[in-house]
Amino acid sequence: ETGVTQSPTHLIKTRGQQVTLRCSSQSGHNTVSWYQQALGQGPQFIFQYYREEENGRGNFPPRFSGLQFPNYSSELNVNALELDDSALYLCASSLTTGSYGYTFGSGTRLTVV
Amino acid sequence: GIQVEQSPPDLILQEGANSTLRCNFSDSVNNLQWFHQNPWGQLINLFYIPSGTKQNGRLSATTVATERYSLLYISSSQTTDSGVYFCAVPGRDDKIIFGKGTRLHILP
């Protein structure tokens, strides 16, 4: 049974560019949640996908968008990158849409310069 | 929305010492979780503990739901216990809300 895999592990982008982060969910999990963790802070909920549909969104602007594929893997896209978007982006998969049973990946460290 | 506050923000201890981490939350919750974030960034669930006390080896947790706080105890600390400990509760739409964490440094 594989866990949650995120790619890439590290990324450097320039302000104004666009970025796509990827997440492979744990086998059997149909729900993926994305979190942004700024340095020294706790993770902040971005959005959740359940069976390819968005199922809840946190307080993030529309330039943060996502996608879930039929195999339940997921992408997080961020357009018009800003310096404050620099953070660790964490993906978690789960069997349900509730707050239980999350398996987290190790994250993608995004630096915007 | 619900607020989660953790204390202390930072803790430096010698190997072998005991520690107590605290989590206060602003509203009633039906669940509470403690996570450990390892140096590679991965969050590992330590406890689901909506109320009462649970123990797992050198770690134990107690939640007093009526008083809206939870405590995480680490006994006989080891260097591998270093990292960030997060308390998390369900927020709006049953999505997890994290506190800011306690950064624990265990010195050899």
Side-chain angles (χ1 to χ4, degrees), chain A residues 39-105:
Chain A
L39 196 62
Q41 302 295 315
Q44 299 289 314
F45 174 68
I46 303 175
F47 44 57
Q48 181 183 81
Y49 278 83
Y50 170 66
R51 293 188 174 183
E52 303 180 60
E53 297 289 331
E54 186 177 289
N55 181 56
R57 187 180 182 92
N59 188 27
F60 280 82
R63 58 190 186 84
F64 285 78
S65 63
L67 200 58
Q68 187 178 32
F69 299 98
N71 66 355
Y72 303 130
S73 66
S74 178
E75 287 182 354
L76 164 65
N77 299 289
V78 187
N79 293 322
L81 283 166
E82 301 177 0
L83 296 180
D84 285 348
D85 296 332
S86 295
L88 179 68
Y89 288 85
L90 294 164
C91 165
S93 72
S94 55
L95 277 170
T96 72
T97 59
S99 59
Y100 296 84
Y102 281 37
T103 300
F104 280 86

Side-chain angles (χ1 to χ4, degrees), chain A residues 35 37 40-45 48 55-58 88 90 97-102 104-106, chain B residues 30-31 33 35 37 40-43 45 48 86 90 92-101 103:
Chain A
Y35 285 80
Q37 186 179 10
Q41 302 295 315
Q44 299 289 314
F45 174 68
Q48 181 183 81
N55 181 56
R57 187 180 182 92
L88 179 68
L90 294 164
T97 59
S99 59
Y100 296 84
Y102 281 37
F104 280 86
S106 293
Chain B
N30 59 11
N31 195 14
Q33 301 179 62
F35 288 87
Q37 188 167 39
W40 299 272
Q42 189 175 20
L43 286 162
N45 179 272
Y48 293 100
F86 289 101
R92 183 172 60 90
D93 298 333
D94 204 23
K95 305 301 184 282
I96 297 178
I97 293 177
F98 289 85
K100 291 187 175 182
R103 284 145 196 82

Side-chain angles (χ1 to χ4, degrees), chain B residues 11 14 16 22 24 26 39 41 43 46-47 51 53 56 63 78-79 87-88 90 94 96 102:
Chain B
L11 191 56
Q14 207 68 38
R22 187 178 179 102
N24 293 331
S26 61
L43 286 162
L46 299 174
F47 293 103
S51 63
T53 297
N56 184 3
T63 296
Q78 301 176 359
T79 55
C87 166
D94 204 23
I96 297 178
T102 292

